Amino acid sequence: MTVTPEALQALAAGILEACAAKSVMIGTVESCTGGLVAGTLTEIAGSSHAMTGGLVTYSNEAKQKLAHVPEEMLNEHGAVSQAVASAMAEGGREPLSADICVSITGIAGPGGGSAQKPVGLVHFACAAQGLETAHREERFGDLGRRQVRLESVKVALEMLAVAADQIPDQAARP
């Protein structure tokens, strides 16, 4: 089944509603999606009640400077890895003042893949206040750049939905 913008909008609307009800703010740190998750969320009127901002960290340098991913980690694991995805999500929370932060790093194609890291490999992480950082790896295959990116937005939104459900209400915080 093909991911549609309408399906993504419906998922995003539910996340924003749940987060706004709990006074929870969302941030994104995106590489291969180039801001599509933030764009999907902010396309909805009133999203500012739950969306604080997004970082596009396409280069390793941007991952280091904006999301505080250690250079040594990038050298050891590569940008497309569980370790880097987790560091991006965790490192993005502070500069974005986000209670929940989702990250995406992958190989959308058509080039750039290898036997170990093929086109369509995407790592996701979601860091949320008071919760353990969640990780997800997807191997979408060589679906075409656009479809890998859309599928990635869907997974990131699904992870945000789970975190939004699990995170405590932030309105009661000091």
Side-chain angles (χ1 to χ4, degrees), residues 44-71:
I44 297 167
S47 59
S48 61
H49 296 292
M51 178 68 182
T52 182
L55 303 172
V56 176
T57 58
Y58 207 68
S59 71
N60 284 353
E61 183 179 359
K63 288 173 181 64
Q64 291 171 55
K65 288 185 176 182
L66 301 174
H68 311 294
V69 177
E71 182 179 8

Side-chain angles (χ1 to χ4, degrees), residues 6 8 10 16 26 28 40 48 67 69 87 99 106 114 122 124 128 130-131 134 137 139 157 160 164 174:
E6 294 78 21
L8 294 176
L16 290 167
I26 300 167
T28 66
T40 300
S48 61
V69 177
D99 300 302
S114 68
V122 184
F124 304 83
L131 301 176
E137 175 185 313
R139 292 177 180 262
L157 291 173
L160 282 172

Side-chain angles (χ1 to χ4, degrees), residues 17-106:
E17 184 178 324
C19 287
K22 291 182 173 186
S23 298
V24 167
M25 297 303 288
I26 300 167
T28 66
V29 181
E30 303 179 61
S31 185
C32 67
T33 49
L36 289 175
V37 177
T40 300
L41 290 163
T42 59
E43 191 169 322
I44 297 167
S47 59
S48 61
H49 296 292
M51 178 68 182
T52 182
L55 303 172
V56 176
T57 58
Y58 207 68
S59 71
N60 284 353
E61 183 179 359
K63 288 173 181 64
Q64 291 171 55
K65 288 185 176 182
L66 301 174
H68 311 294
V69 177
E71 182 179 8
E72 304 77 35
M73 182 182 289
L74 287 159
N75 292 336
E76 182 178 344
H77 300 283
V80 181
S81 64
Q82 176 178 349
V84 170
S86 295
M88 288 167 63
E90 292 164 0
R93 281 194 56 224
E94 187 268 326
L96 292 169
S97 299
D99 300 302
I100 301 172
C101 189
V102 69
S103 69
I104 304 119
T105 182

Side-chain angles (χ1 to χ4, degrees), residues 95-158:
L96 292 169
S97 299
D99 300 302
I100 301 172
C101 189
V102 69
S103 69
I104 304 119
T105 182
I107 304 166
S114 68
Q116 295 80 23
K117 295 183 179 184
V119 170
L121 171 65
V122 184
H123 285 272
F124 304 83
C126 190
Q129 183 176 332
L131 301 176
E132 187 173 322
T133 299
H135 169 260
R136 189 162 156 185
E137 175 185 313
E138 291 291 335
R139 292 177 180 262
F140 298 117
D142 193 355
L143 305 174
R145 185 174 185 81
R146 183 174 195 281
Q147 199 58 42
V148 168
R149 288 164 43 105
L150 288 174
E151 293 288 345
S152 295
V153 171
K154 179 177 179 273
V155 170
L157 291 173
E158 289 170 351

